[in-house]
Structures are given as C-alpha cells and as structure tokens.
Amino acid sequence: MSTNDGNDGPRTLKTVSVAADVVEAVRERGSVGVTELAEYLDLSKSTAYIHLKTLEENGFLVRRDGAYEIAFKFFVLGEYARNRSPLYQYGKPEVDELAEETGQYTHIVTEENGYGINLYQVKGETSISDDYQSEKPQHRDHLHYTASGKAILAYLPRERVEDIVASHGLPAHTEHTITDPDELFEELAAIRERGYAYNDGEEIEGFRAIGAPIRNPEGEVLGSLSVSGPASFMRDERFRDDLPERVTRAANVIEVSLNMNSHA
C-alpha cells in the first residue's frame, strides 16, 4: 500500500515506513520481543511479528534469546557509506593529527536531512572519557547546539536553515542552548564573520568546542571539523585564539586536499 498522507509530496510505501519505525524502535530499546514492539508502536502482534521476521530474514535484525536486535549488516552498510565520502577520506588524517596535537576529542561532521552525522571522531590522549562522547557516532545531532553543527548552518542558504528549524525545532540541551531563531541567525552571521563557531556549554554543561566549516571552491559547505573538551582545558586564550587557529588551519588543509583531488 502506498500513501502520501493527503499532501502533494511523492507517494511512499506504508510498509517500508513501518519497517523503518521498527528498526528505530529496536535501536532505541536495545532489543525487543513481538509483544513489546506491538505495544510500543501500537501495532497488532501479527503485524509486529511479520515485520520483525521479514527484517530478520533479510539480515537487518538478529534474534537472540527470544528478542530481536540490530544486526551487524547496518555496520557494513554504514562503513560502505562512510568510506565513499571524500570528506571522510581526506578529513581523517587531519582529525588524527589534530587529536594528537590537542589531546582532546576531534570530530568531522556532515549534514544529512537536517541533522549532524559524526563521520569520524578520535579521542585525544588527555581527553575525558565518557559515554556521551563515545556514543556520539551512534546518534544524529541537532545542528544548533554543537560547534560543528553551527559551523555548517552558518554556510547553508538561509532558506535551508529555516526549513531545518521548522522541521526539527531548536530544543534546549542546557540553559545556554540557543532556542530563538532570531538569536540563532545572529550567531550564524557572527560565525561567518570570524570563520569558526564556538560551543560554550550549549550541548553539555562545562564542555566547550570549536568548529570550522569545510567548503568546496564554490563556497558550498560539505561539513565541519571540531575539537571539544572540558572548559577547564578550553579556557581564556586557548579557547578564544589558539584552538580556533588550529581548527581552521586543519579545515583549510582538508579543503585543499578535497579540491585538488576533485580536479585530478
């Protein structure tokens, strides 16, 4: 059965949409049984079972101890998608080097469907280890509360940013998160003026980050590079001058590598 929910957009298959909801539900809950999934998604038990069994037979779910879990097939597909990305290919060496230089978490991020996707991150030698940072590659981020995300938003067309805000909102992560669209656009203008973005406790209290855009010769933003760490490390001149210079320099190297290879 196909549907367009009464709008003028393209028709979609309802069964595929339900299957996608099932996959997301399994990811969110870790593992699920038929009854639990049926209640969670308000499906009949027979419908829940059919979707779980179909996804299992196609290799997207595995059944262990009577419950269904995400299969490693998604890891294979994700690695394939990431390895095809020039941003990852030419950004990875700079991320490795910047993490070694700063000793902090370093990330390369791209935007997809209005969210930030952490393509690659490295834990620096002196960085604080925590579950939130180590699990970031497993989740999509809103763009407005991270330095990498704001560095991307600053160089997207205003109409695109407005669409992202309309679709995903500006939810607060901390009391410092920007939640007003006008304030966000002012911040994005400041980022374009200086060439990099700050995150000063907007994602996690006591945590800071610097993010710089990575663009092609036409000015189109491809992603961003960022360094994050505790405010006790990223303070004063280091936060305002030293780290922004390092991050923007590394981002520029990635841009040059991308641009040179696009004309090879």
Side-chain angles (χ1 to χ4, degrees):
M1 178 184 293
S2 63
T3 179
N4 66 0
D5 295 324
N7 58 42
D8 296 326
R11 295 176 68 84
T12 59
L13 289 172
K14 186 176 180 180
T15 53
V16 176
S17 296
V18 175
D21 290 340
V22 169
V23 170
E24 282 295 327
V26 175
R27 183 190 68 83
E28 290 170 4
R29 305 191 64 87
S31 65
V32 296
V34 174
T35 301
E36 181 182 1
L37 180 70
E39 293 175 352
Y40 188 69
L41 293 180
D42 194 24
L43 302 171
S44 68
K45 287 186 180 181
S46 61
T47 299
Y49 174 77
I50 290 169
H51 281 286
L52 288 169
K53 195 64 181 176
T54 302
L55 288 164
E56 180 191 17
E57 290 182 356
N58 284 276
F60 294 103
L61 298 180
V62 293
R63 191 167 183 257
R64 295 189 180 94
D65 301 323
Y68 292 86
E69 301 175 2
I70 295 293
F72 284 118
K73 184 173 185 176
F74 282 103
F75 175 79
V76 175
L77 294 172
E79 279 292 289
Y80 171 78
R82 184 173 73 165
N83 289 335
R84 283 176 55 84
S85 167
L87 184 62
Y88 169 72
Q89 295 170 15
Y90 298 110
K92 183 177 181 296
E94 293 305 314
V95 172
D96 292 336
E97 184 174 334
L98 194 58
E100 185 175 350
E101 280 183 17
T102 63
Q104 300 301 308
Y105 272 103
T106 306
H107 320 257
I108 194 161
V109 173
T110 192
E111 178 266 330
E112 187 176 75
N113 297 321
Y115 289 102
I117 306 295
N118 202 324
L119 281 182
Y120 183 60
Q121 81 172 20
V122 175
K123 180 182 180 297
E125 204 170 281
T126 60
S127 60
I128 296 175
S129 180
D130 61 41
D131 291 342
Y132 185 86
Q133 286 292 325
S134 63
E135 293 177 1
K136 275 184 77 71
Q138 301 177 35
H139 304 281
R140 301 183 300 176
D141 278 326
H142 283 83
L143 295 168
H144 69 288
Y145 57 62
T146 68
S148 54
K150 289 192 291 182
I152 292 172
L153 286 175
Y155 293 91
L156 288 175
R158 183 183 178 98
E159 295 78 11
R160 173 73 176 127
V161 178
E162 290 173 343
D163 287 344
I164 290 172
V165 172
S167 297
H168 305 315
L170 298 173
H173 247 224
T174 73
E175 64 178 352
H176 305 294
T177 305
I178 295 174
T179 57
D180 177 73
D182 291 336
E183 184 180 350
L184 175 64
F185 281 108
E186 289 178 7
E187 173 74 0
L188 299 183
I191 291 167
R192 288 190 293 273
E193 179 72 22
R194 61 177 176 258
Y196 53 86
Y198 290 114
N199 165 10
D200 193 357
E202 296 159 57
E203 182 182 12
I204 308 171
E205 291 283 358
F207 216 72
R208 287 175 161 178
I210 305 291
I214 299 168
R215 296 184 290 165
N216 64 18
E218 291 72 38
E220 178 186 2
V221 64
L222 306 174
S224 61
L225 177 69
S226 66
V227 171
S228 59
S232 58
F233 171 81
M234 303 181 72
R235 60 183 181 184
D236 303 329
E237 186 176 332
R238 178 180 288 162
F239 182 56
R240 297 297 172 187
D241 299 311
D242 179 44
L243 286 174
E245 182 181 343
R246 293 191 188 196
V247 173
T248 53
R249 183 171 64 241
N252 288 340
V253 170
I254 297 172
E255 288 178 341
V256 170
S257 297
L258 284 164
N259 297 338
M260 287 179 62
N261 283 278
S262 68
H263 292 92

